[in-house]
Amino acid sequence: MHVQHLTEDSQPSGNTGQTVAQTCFFVGVFFALLLLCNGVAMYQSAGHLEYGPARDFWRMVLRPVDRVSRLTGLCQVRGWTQTTVGEWLNQPNKE
């Protein structure tokens, strides 16, 4: 077994991972997809807020997200997950 001792000047050879820019990009893509999958539900939840400036703000911000979510069909992913896994997870315990 070969053990390589690293000093301050030496670095391990080879590319061993992703750059920070790549990681930030993929995290951004993940959150964008998450937002689009939940856009319809988020817009509906904003409709349940108390009337006032906060409700108006969130409805205005989430309206385009709701529309894109419906247009792309990604809202159906949430619906499918909610009807399959959600029902299974929310079953009462039979003890």
Side-chain angles (χ1 to χ4, degrees):
M1 184 162 128
H2 176 6
V3 177
Q4 180 181 4
H5 295 283
L6 298 175
T7 63
E8 290 180 24
D9 297 333
S10 66
Q11 296 179 4
S13 61
N15 186 2
T16 60
Q18 303 295 320
T19 65
V20 173
Q22 289 173 324
T23 302
C24 289
F25 172 76
F26 287 114
V27 168
V29 168
F30 169 77
F31 279 110
L33 287 173
L34 187 69
L35 182 66
L36 290 176
C37 287
N38 293 298
V40 173
M42 292 171 67
Y43 184 72
Q44 290 173 349
S45 291
H48 297 297
L49 293 173
E50 183 179 326
Y51 287 98
R55 180 183 189 269
D56 295 340
F57 170 78
W58 285 113
R59 297 277 290 185
M60 181 184 66
V61 169
L62 292 172
R63 184 175 292 122
V65 177
D66 172 66
R67 289 181 180 163
V68 173
S69 181
R70 288 179 192 274
L71 182 67
T72 60
L74 287 172
C75 60
Q76 294 175 2
V77 174
R78 178 190 168 96
W80 176 81
T81 305
Q82 194 169 0
T83 56
T84 56
V85 180
E87 289 179 4
W88 175 71
L89 287 174
N90 290 321
Q91 289 179 357
N93 292 334
K94 297 179 182 177
E95 294 181 21

